[in-house]
Amino acid sequence: MTDKQRKFCDEYLIDCNATQAAIRAGYSEKTAEKASDWINEKSQEKPSSKFNAEMRAYIDEQLERIHSEKTADAKEVIEYLTSVLRGESESEVVVVEQQGDYTSEARNIKKRPDEKERLKAAELLGKRFGLFTDKVELNGVAKVVFEDDLKEDAADE
């Protein structure tokens, strides 16, 4: 892959707009109009397509890396909510203390979750594990008869 192609791929990752990414990478506007074909496997079916599997693979690899680094998975979310529920997490809050009529001092302090925050964590965990249900789930086989069908059956008799 050339440096210009890599620049296009990196620019594409910013906003997923192939045309604009190509222009920012230094391609002409006319060339940039076909930029989506470079990374779209379906474009291979077109005879004039310039699909580039190496560019597509690079973009996919970078998207996976970004996803892995920036996105919390279910385990991480559950562990965090559990730490809040148990009062093990800490957050930093600003406390402002007034000194005299015109001066005040602000400082950061560490704070454990309060009752409201712990309750919210418990609620979210409870929903996740289906501890609280507003509806009853019924599994099995049942025959459903509509009122109109009953009227028709009665009329037939």
Side-chain angles (χ1 to χ4, degrees), residues 8 17-24 27-38:
F8 161 76
N17 183 323
T19 303
Q20 290 304 310
I23 291 169
R24 291 191 303 263
Y27 291 94
S28 71
E29 286 190 27
K30 185 175 181 179
T31 302
E33 289 174 7
K34 295 184 171 91
S36 64
D37 289 346
W38 305 342

Side-chain angles (χ1 to χ4, degrees), residues 67-81 128:
H67 176 74
S68 297
E69 291 174 2
K70 305 239 181 224
T71 306
D73 61 7
K75 181 180 182 228
E76 185 178 356
V77 171
I78 290 170
E79 287 172 353
Y80 171 72
L81 289 172
R128 163 61 184 92

Side-chain angles (χ1 to χ4, degrees), residues 25-126:
Y27 291 94
S28 71
E29 286 190 27
K30 185 175 181 179
T31 302
E33 289 174 7
K34 295 184 171 91
S36 64
D37 289 346
W38 305 342
I39 56 174
N40 184 352
E41 288 185 65
K42 292 181 181 176
S43 70
Q44 283 180 305
E45 298 164 4
K46 296 187 228 173
S48 63
S49 172
K50 302 279 186 184
F51 173 71
N52 186 316
E54 188 178 7
M55 289 169 64
R56 179 75 250 173
Y58 176 80
I59 289 171
D60 290 343
E61 178 184 307
Q62 295 305 311
L63 286 172
E64 182 61 34
R65 184 184 59 78
I66 291 167
H67 176 74
S68 297
E69 291 174 2
K70 305 239 181 224
T71 306
D73 61 7
K75 181 180 182 228
E76 185 178 356
V77 171
I78 290 170
E79 287 172 353
Y80 171 72
L81 289 172
T82 301
S83 73
V84 172
L85 172 67
R86 294 179 177 164
E88 298 167 348
S89 69
E90 286 187 338
S91 61
E92 200 168 287
V93 294
V94 177
V95 175
V96 178
E97 297 174 345
Q98 188 167 350
Q99 299 171 345
D101 292 338
Y102 301 105
T103 61
S104 61
E105 181 182 322
R107 61 189 173 96
N108 294 347
I109 63 167
K110 298 271 185 193
K111 170 188 147 331
R112 295 221 181 257
D114 61 26
E115 198 67 25
K116 185 177 180 181
E117 293 165 330
R118 293 174 75 177
L119 181 61
K120 184 62 178 179
E123 177 188 343
L124 292 170
L125 284 168

